């Protein structure tokens, strides 16, 4: 079945929204279960769990991206959403199994890779930056209300109801993909059967990285993504726990923080991103986003008061323009039948960061003795002040050492991004991709063997 209507960005947006809305509901319950399950070295264990998930995502992303180029996007949207949401019901059944399945689910936790390829199938170049920004903004929008709703329902009715509601929304997302989402990849670009061969080279993430190394421009982009997303992945895995346990935020304050940050991110990734892409270009938009990220991480690193966290959060919203701008730039280097491969490559690098970042942050917290041992849960303002005072006594100069490390990493990313050319010769780019990714091509393509490929995207000043 082809779904409802013709393929559109709105189909992808709804898939992303429902998936992350379900997980957003579990923000407060997850922090409680994490602390109860691992009362000692909580940050370290959190980093290891998220690290294993990220490494598995890195290993699987190229294969899923390449398979979606051959077999279509819809099947892999269904597969990634199902396995990403599979751990949700286990939270109340068995916390140990819950965290174990979260780790293993990283094999299929690459929904963004398939969604960005879906969007690339159905948009033109002048629409793509805005479309990527809309998808990224939807991720933020899904977190505007869901943590607050989850915290309220958990306080009034208990966490079991929150888990049931999150499971129901995940099932709704799966049903939406089955019934409503049409296939975006044209029939002429897909084989008649599911027997199309996929080589080991396409499934090997390290082979993909070697291909990246043979193309200097894509290499610069990928290094920029790695250095900028490494601290972001570590921050995302531990920051809400950090606010809750170390800075003394209540569950309601954490939910409000996420909501405000989400609203500002939506504005940044739609209106602000569109204006910046038109006025200063793709590359300068990336540089501006990296500059905001450096400021935000340094502020988190030295911030010792709750108001500093709120102020830095506003800056963090502006830094969210980086990834959609990078995705738009990467899509300009690939042909129509390579979008899944290149987006899978970028998602694979982000998956590697999702593995290394949380583990690195957890290890730095551990080195600097930022622990939760024998500390009360900050359910009241007095409890929060005890935690904050303990923390400030331990680290008076640098309250959040991992965030300062992250600022240094993003500074390196900014220096690398300066060497990315604003304009590229896409005829050369297209032939390079054809040469280095030849095994990813489709034998059923109507193009003649000796015919030069028409580049999908034009070299224009956005």
């Amino acid at each position: 079945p082809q779904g409802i209507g013709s393929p559109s960005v709105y189909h992808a947006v709804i898939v992303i929204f429902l998936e992350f809305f379900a997980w957003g509901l579990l923000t407060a319950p997850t922090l409680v279960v994490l602390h109860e399950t691992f009362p000692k070295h909580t940050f370290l264990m959190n980093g290891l769990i998220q690290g294993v998930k990220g490494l598995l995502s890195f290993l699987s992303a190229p294969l899923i991206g390449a398979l979606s180029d051959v077999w279509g996007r819809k099947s892999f949207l269904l597969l990634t959403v199902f396995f990403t949401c599979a751990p949700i019901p286990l939270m109340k059944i068995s916390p140990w199994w819950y965290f174990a399945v979260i780790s293993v689910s990283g094999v299929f936790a690459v929904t963004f890779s398939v969604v960005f390829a879906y969007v690339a199938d159905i948009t033109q170049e002048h629409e793509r930056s805005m479309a990527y920004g809309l998808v990224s903004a939807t991720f933020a929008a899904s977190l505007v209300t869901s943590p607050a709703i989850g915290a309220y329902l958990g306080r009034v009715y208990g966490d079991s109801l929150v888990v049931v509601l999150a499971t129901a929304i995940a099932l709704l997302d799966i049903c939406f993909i089955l019934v409503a989402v049409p296939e975006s990849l044209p029939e002429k670009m897909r084989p008649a059967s599911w027997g199309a061969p996929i080589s080991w080279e396409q499934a090997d993430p390290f082979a993909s990285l070697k291909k990246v190394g043979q193309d200097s421009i894509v290499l610069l982009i990928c290094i920029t993504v790695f250095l900028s997303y490494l601290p972001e992945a570590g921050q995302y895995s531990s920051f809400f726990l950090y606010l809750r346990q170390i800075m003394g935020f209540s569950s309601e304050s954490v939910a409000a923080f996420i909501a405000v940050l989400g609203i500002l991110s939506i504005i940044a990734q739609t209106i602000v991103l569109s204006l910046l892409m038109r006025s200063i270009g793709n590359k300068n938009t990336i540089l501006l986003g990296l500059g905001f990220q450096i400021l935000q991480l340094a502020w988190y690193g030295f911030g010792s008061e709750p108001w500093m966290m709120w102020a830095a959060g506003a800056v963090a919203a502006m830094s969210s323009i980086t990834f959609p701008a990078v995705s738009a730039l990467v899509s300009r280097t690939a042909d129509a039948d390579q979008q899944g491969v290149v987006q899978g490559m970028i998602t694979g690098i982000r998956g590697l960061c999702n593995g290394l970042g949380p583990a690195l942050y957890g290890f730095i917290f551990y080195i600097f003795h930022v622990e939760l041992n024998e500390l009360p849960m900050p359910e009241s303002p007095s409890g929060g002040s005890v935690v904050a005072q303990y923390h400030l006594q331990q680290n008076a100069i640098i309250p959040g050492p991992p965030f300062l490390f992250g600022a240094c990493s993003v500074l390196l990313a900014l220096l690398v991004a300066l060497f990315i050319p604003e304009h590229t010769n896409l005829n050369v780019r297209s032939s390079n991709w054809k040469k280095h990714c030849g095994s990813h091509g489709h034998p059923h393509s109507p193009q003649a063997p000796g015919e030069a490929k028409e580049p999908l995207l034009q070299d224009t000043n956005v």
Side-chain angles (χ1 to χ4, degrees):
Q2 280 300 306
I4 299 175
S6 56
S8 69
V9 176
Y10 300 107
H11 288 100
V13 160
I14 294 174
V15 171
I16 288 291
F17 180 85
L18 290 176
E19 177 182 329
F20 289 99
F21 189 89
W23 276 107
L25 289 171
L26 300 177
T27 301
T30 297
L31 298 182
V32 174
V33 171
L34 182 67
H35 180 59
E36 291 176 349
T37 308
F38 308 107
K40 293 186 178 181
H41 308 314
T42 310
F43 284 104
L44 184 61
M45 291 304 300
N46 177 62
L48 292 177
I49 291 167
Q50 298 296 331
V52 172
K53 178 181 178 181
L55 288 174
L56 290 176
S57 172
F58 162 71
L59 295 174
S60 66
L63 174 61
I64 292 179
L67 288 174
S68 75
D69 280 337
V70 176
W71 293 344
R73 317 296 184 197
K74 180 171 180 174
S75 302
F76 287 92
L77 280 176
L78 185 64
L79 194 69
T80 55
V81 170
F82 176 81
F83 281 99
T84 302
C85 297
I88 291 177
L90 298 174
M91 175 181 281
K92 282 302 175 183
I93 299 173
S94 172
W96 281 92
W97 275 107
Y98 170 70
F99 291 115
V101 175
I102 282 180
S103 301
V104 177
S105 70
V107 174
F108 295 100
V110 289
T111 307
F112 268 106
S113 171
V114 185
V115 164
F116 278 149
Y118 189 99
V119 170
D121 292 338
I122 58 178
T123 54
Q124 301 297 323
E125 184 214 352
H126 65 278
E127 305 169 322
R128 196 159 296 156
S129 300
M130 190 66 181
Y132 285 159
L134 184 62
V135 171
S136 298
T138 302
F139 167 71
S142 67
L143 298 177
V144 169
T145 57
S146 55
I149 293 172
Y152 172 77
L153 292 177
R155 187 177 70 252
V156 176
Y157 301 104
D159 290 344
S160 297
L161 177 66
V162 181
V163 174
V164 171
L165 180 60
T167 303
I169 292 175
L171 290 174
L172 176 63
D173 196 12
I174 293 170
C175 293
F176 176 79
I177 297 172
L178 280 171
V179 175
V181 175
E183 178 57 60
S184 65
L185 199 63
E187 282 289 342
K188 65 181 181 179
M189 296 176 65
R190 288 185 283 142
S193 69
W194 280 62
I198 297 294
S199 67
W200 166 247
E201 185 181 12
Q202 290 171 271
D204 180 8
F206 300 100
S208 290
L209 295 182
K210 292 175 185 176
K211 287 188 178 67
V212 171
Q214 296 172 5
D215 191 313
S216 59
I217 296 175
V218 179
L219 176 62
L220 290 174
I221 295 173
C222 289
I223 292 175
T224 302
V225 170
F226 179 81
L227 291 175
S228 63
Y229 195 71
L230 182 69
E232 185 177 337
Q235 171 189 329
Y236 184 76
S237 69
S238 61
F239 187 63
F240 301 138
L241 184 64
Y242 178 79
L243 290 179
R244 181 104 161 87
Q245 302 293 341
I246 304 302
M247 298 306 297
F249 277 45
S250 65
S251 296
E252 291 76 14
S253 297
V254 171
F257 185 91
I258 297 173
V260 172
L261 191 61
I263 292 172
L264 293 176
S265 296
I266 293 169
I267 297 172
Q269 294 180 40
T270 53
I271 300 172
V272 177
L273 177 66
S274 178
L275 292 174
L276 289 175
M277 293 288 280
R278 288 183 187 140
S279 58
I280 63 176
N282 205 326
K283 175 186 173 181
N284 290 331
T285 301
I286 295 173
L287 295 177
L288 185 63
L290 293 174
F292 278 114
Q293 190 178 358
I294 293 171
L295 177 60
Q296 161 229 333
L297 287 168
W299 210 334
Y300 282 150
F302 289 108
S304 58
E305 298 293 335
W307 71 266
M308 296 181 180
M309 299 295 104
W310 285 94
V315 179
M318 277 301 300
S319 71
S320 65
I321 63 175
T322 304
F323 181 61
V326 168
S327 296
L329 187 62
V330 168
S331 71
R332 297 171 62 189
T333 68
D335 294 322
D337 61 346
Q338 297 294 322
Q339 291 295 328
V341 174
V342 294
Q343 295 297 345
M345 200 175 292
I346 294 298
T347 303
I349 291 175
R350 284 164 62 92
L352 182 62
C353 293
N354 282 331
L356 298 177
L360 185 61
Y361 266 50
F363 184 65
I364 295 176
F365 275 126
Y366 177 73
I367 289 177
F368 282 83
H369 307 292
V370 182
E371 293 294 341
L372 308 180
N373 298 347
E374 300 177 0
L375 289 181
M377 294 288 285
E379 295 295 341
S380 63
S382 59
S385 63
V386 170
V387 176
Q389 288 171 9
Y390 172 87
H391 176 59
L392 293 178
Q393 290 171 1
Q394 294 295 314
N395 297 284
I397 300 177
I398 306 177
F403 303 113
L404 196 59
F405 165 82
C408 297
S409 177
V410 180
L411 179 60
L412 293 177
L414 180 65
L415 296 177
V416 172
L418 289 172
F419 293 95
I420 299 174
E422 176 68 48
H423 305 287
T424 58
N425 186 341
L426 291 182
N427 289 313
V428 176
R429 313 292 307 121
S430 176
S431 62
N432 280 348
W433 272 109
K434 184 168 60 177
K435 179 174 67 176
H436 297 312
C437 302
S439 61
H440 298 181
H442 302 284
H444 51 277
S445 174
Q447 178 182 312
E451 182 183 350
K453 290 187 178 181
E454 180 70 16
L456 171 68
L457 305 174
Q458 302 303 316
D459 184 16
T460 59
N461 187 9
V462 179

